[in-house]
Amino acid sequence: FAVFSALNQHFVPHLTSIGVVPTTAALVLSVASVASALGHVIIGPLLDGKHGILFTVLFAVASTIGYVLLATAPATALLFLGGGLIGIGHCVSLVAIPVYSRKYLGGKDMGRISGLTGVLSTIFPAVGVVVSASVYDQTGSYRPVFLTVAALFLLLTLWVLVGYNNAMKKRQQAAAD
């Protein structure tokens, strides 16, 4: 997901290419940025709490819906909603790694995990921007990119749910033994 964390650079070109006026397109990007700042403030405590998995799923679903709206929305209000959902939802892919690494793997390997994810989250956004632009150059649209990201967030959601379900089964089995 780090590959697509800089994808917001393509919001304005995408929106203007589908007929949205530049000022409105820039405002959608601003909504996404403000929502992202808000999400970064609130997501850490939510993920670290008792219902962290639920919030992980909710934030990932928000991103999924946001990207679908940004790719397909026929109305400007839905574009603003999409931008906001993307902004708040993207936080899960950035904040969850250190929170869950510490929570489930302990502090022993935290330096190595943070170092690796830090390097990857620096390099991959540059790759994502170039790949996204290449897709646009080939297709004349950012829709395939946004819909691919939506599908990846949906897969993240399913992966988290399956992983959580398996962990709960193991805990119940260990408690029974």
Side-chain angles (χ1 to χ4, degrees):
F1 293 96
V3 171
F4 298 107
S5 65
L7 195 56
N8 59 352
Q9 295 179 33
H10 294 294
F11 287 6
V12 173
H14 163 67
L15 294 173
T16 55
S17 76
I18 62 170
V20 176
V21 296
T23 52
T24 302
L27 191 54
V28 170
L29 176 59
S30 296
V31 167
S33 298
V34 169
S36 179
L38 176 64
H40 278 86
V41 170
I42 64 171
I43 194 170
L46 293 175
L47 294 182
D48 202 29
K50 184 177 179 181
H51 302 291
I53 297 298
L54 172 66
F55 288 107
T56 301
V57 168
L58 290 175
F59 275 61
V61 168
S63 275
T64 303
I65 294 168
Y67 276 109
V68 169
L69 287 175
L70 205 62
T72 63
T76 304
L78 292 175
L79 294 173
F80 286 114
L81 176 61
L85 289 172
I86 290 168
I88 202 161
H90 244 273
C91 300
V92 75
S93 62
L94 302 174
V95 178
I97 293 171
V99 170
Y100 288 140
S101 295
R102 177 83 175 153
K103 190 173 187 175
Y104 296 110
L105 302 175
K108 181 180 171 200
D109 294 322
M110 192 63 189
R112 280 185 256 164
I113 293 167
S114 294
L116 178 62
T117 58
V119 168
L120 295 177
S121 65
T122 301
I123 294 170
F124 284 157
V127 172
V129 170
V130 172
V131 169
S132 300
S134 296
V135 169
Y136 178 82
D137 289 344
Q138 296 298 314
T139 66
S141 175
Y142 287 105
R143 282 189 176 121
V145 174
F146 293 148
L147 293 174
T148 299
V149 175
L152 289 173
F153 269 102
L154 185 58
L155 284 174
L156 169 68
T157 303
L158 295 173
W159 181 66
V160 167
L161 289 172
V162 168
Y164 180 72
N165 188 41
N166 289 341
M168 292 308 293
K169 286 179 183 178
K170 286 180 182 178
R171 283 187 189 165
Q172 289 172 349
Q173 186 177 17
D177 292 342

